[in-house]
Amino acid sequence: MIWNRFIDSSKNATFLFKREFLEYHKDRFQDYSLLFFKDEQLVGLLPANRVEDEIYSHQGLSYGGILLSSKSKFDDVFYIYYSLLKYLEEHNIKKFHLKLLPDIYTKLPSNEISYLLFKTEASLVRKDISSVIEYSHQLQIDSSNRKRGIKKGIKNDLIIKEEFDLSTFWNEILIPNLKESHNVLPVHTVSEINKLKNSFPNHIKQYSVFHKNKIVAGATIFETDSVAHVQYISANKDRQQLGSLDVLFNCLINEKYKHKKYFNFGISTENQGHYVNKGLLSWKESFGGRSIVHEFYEISTKNHVLLNDLFL
């Protein structure tokens, strides 16, 4: 463990940095996660990994950013960010790659970091589009294709089950589909996703669709207090004829997660945000999803000096 201290002499506040080992993905990334302390109290954290002389918001996580305590005011966030950049420069880190946490995941208004990125001349290097349903302004399904698909699913007696072991979905649907369509494997192995689910049983859910006792589709959901986020979606080649995905998402949106603030379908962009998968985006929008962005920035750590005269 590495500790470092930065003193704000005007308020006699001490910020401590504790470098922690992030167990998950430990074999894939050189961890550089940090905890932020003020007067011995934890006030924030940064899941991160190191690649040579650069630090990234952890590349093994869908979302990232500097996570803050609800008690953190602008002054606190300023010192966290300023001291972070200074700490990284002093440890020979030249670039900091930060992916901001989308606003739907924050419990309180929290755009302090966005302002500080502006002040330190951060470069916007990527934007992804995610499709989101906000339940307080939920749109009704008006797509004739979706309505037909839902009717097909009902007519074909499809059964939706919550599964506690994700192996069937992984091995019979997700892996074969990704292999055939993109010649890739899921980011998580089946053992990893089952381990994650066992560690966070209330936050990771698997919903699978069965036709005549055979799995035909499924979706893996990562939950927060306010958001149901779709991490994986996949179905077999009969999805159009069966209506498997349509009936599944109608159930997830209008039954399973109607108590949430948001339903997040996930991104529809590819190649670092430069291209939009139009068909995928259109399918999500047909359920009432609308676009938000997930932003990625690059900051020169030496630019902490640009904050020296911030306050009047």
Side-chain angles (χ1 to χ4, degrees):
M1 297 180 181
I2 299 174
W3 292 79
N4 205 348
R5 293 175 180 266
F6 299 91
I7 306 298
D8 167 23
S9 57
S10 66
K11 293 191 178 228
N12 194 28
T14 302
F15 283 83
L16 301 138
F17 283 66
K18 182 180 181 183
R19 186 162 145 208
E20 281 287 313
F21 185 74
L22 187 66
E23 180 181 1
Y24 184 60
H25 283 324
K26 63 184 178 182
D27 58 333
R28 300 180 187 178
F29 300 97
Q30 180 184 352
D31 189 76
Y32 210 88
S33 298
L34 296 165
L35 302 182
F36 302 87
F37 292 82
K38 178 184 180 182
D39 298 328
E40 309 296 333
Q41 295 295 314
L42 180 66
V43 293
L45 59 91
L46 172 68
N49 65 282
R50 179 172 182 168
V51 179
E52 296 180 348
D53 61 353
E54 300 184 1
I55 295 298
Y56 290 79
S57 284
H58 206 290
Q59 293 171 297
L61 302 176
S62 298
Y63 296 108
I66 299 173
L67 307 181
L68 302 166
S69 162
S70 60
K71 296 181 180 179
S72 297
K73 298 179 182 178
F74 181 85
D75 201 40
D76 299 316
V77 182
F78 165 80
Y79 282 107
I80 287 172
Y81 182 78
Y82 171 81
S83 300
L84 170 62
L85 294 185
K86 186 176 180 182
Y87 170 83
L88 293 178
E89 185 191 30
E90 290 174 349
H91 287 77
N92 300 312
I93 304 298
K94 295 181 180 179
K95 297 286 185 181
F96 174 37
H97 299 265
L98 177 65
K99 49 186 172 186
L100 291 183
L101 187 68
D103 286 345
I104 64 171
Y105 289 96
T106 63
K107 293 184 177 181
L108 295 171
S110 184
N111 287 147
E112 298 90 349
I113 295 295
S114 292
Y115 174 76
L116 296 170
L117 289 170
F118 156 69
K119 289 298 295 180
T120 51
E121 299 180 354
S123 299
L124 178 64
V125 296
R126 173 178 170 181
K127 277 194 178 187
D128 285 327
I129 289 178
S130 286
S131 298
V132 172
I133 290 172
E134 182 176 2
Y135 279 106
S136 63
H137 297 88
Q138 184 179 359
L139 302 174
Q140 297 300 312
I141 296 176
D142 59 6
S143 165
S144 58
N145 287 336
R146 296 292 74 73
K147 291 178 180 179
R148 280 197 299 271
I150 294 167
K151 289 180 179 178
K152 285 180 184 178
I154 296 171
K155 182 180 178 180
N156 288 312
D157 295 321
L158 299 185
I159 303 298
I160 299 170
K161 298 180 182 178
E162 181 179 353
E163 295 196 287
F164 298 94
D165 186 331
L166 285 72
S167 301
T168 302
F169 174 63
W170 241 247
N171 293 329
E172 297 188 27
I173 299 293
L174 186 60
I175 291 176
N177 279 357
L178 288 177
K179 186 69 174 176
E180 181 179 348
S181 301
H182 305 288
N183 197 31
V184 297
L185 293 172
V187 173
H188 301 90
T189 66
V190 67
S191 60
E192 287 175 339
I193 197 68
N194 276 325
K195 181 180 178 181
L196 273 179
K197 179 164 174 51
N198 290 334
S199 298
F200 303 98
N202 296 323
H203 298 280
I204 299 178
K205 303 288 179 64
Q206 174 63 39
Y207 294 96
S208 299
V209 184
F210 291 83
H211 179 240
K212 297 180 180 178
N213 296 318
K214 180 177 175 58
I215 189 170
V216 294
T220 310
I221 310 295
F222 285 12
E223 294 186 32
T224 69
D225 289 345
S226 58
V227 183
H229 165 73
V230 185
Q231 185 70 16
Y232 292 103
I233 309 170
S234 197
N236 71 3
K237 62 182 183 339
D238 296 327
R239 59 185 174 272
Q240 298 280 0
Q241 292 76 17
L242 293 174
S244 53
L245 287 180
D246 289 329
V247 78
L248 171 60
F249 274 83
N250 183 59
C251 173
L252 294 177
I253 294 165
N254 294 307
E255 296 180 28
K256 299 294 185 182
Y257 291 110
K258 62 182 180 180
H259 61 286
K260 297 287 187 182
K261 290 180 66 176
Y262 303 100
F263 186 92
N264 184 2
F265 288 90
I267 68 171
S268 299
T269 41
E270 300 177 9
N271 192 27
Q272 302 295 302
H274 287 286
Y275 299 100
V276 176
N277 186 325
K278 188 175 181 180
L280 181 60
L281 178 61
S282 177
W283 180 78
K284 295 171 181 177
E285 289 179 335
S286 69
F287 281 100
R290 293 297 182 263
S291 298
I292 64 168
V293 294
H294 188 197
E295 297 181 337
F296 297 68
Y297 288 87
E298 179 183 288
I299 310 104
S300 295
T301 57
K302 65 182 180 181
N303 285 2
H304 64 81
V305 297
L306 300 176
L307 298 173
N308 287 343
D309 59 353
L310 178 64
F311 292 106
L312 297 176

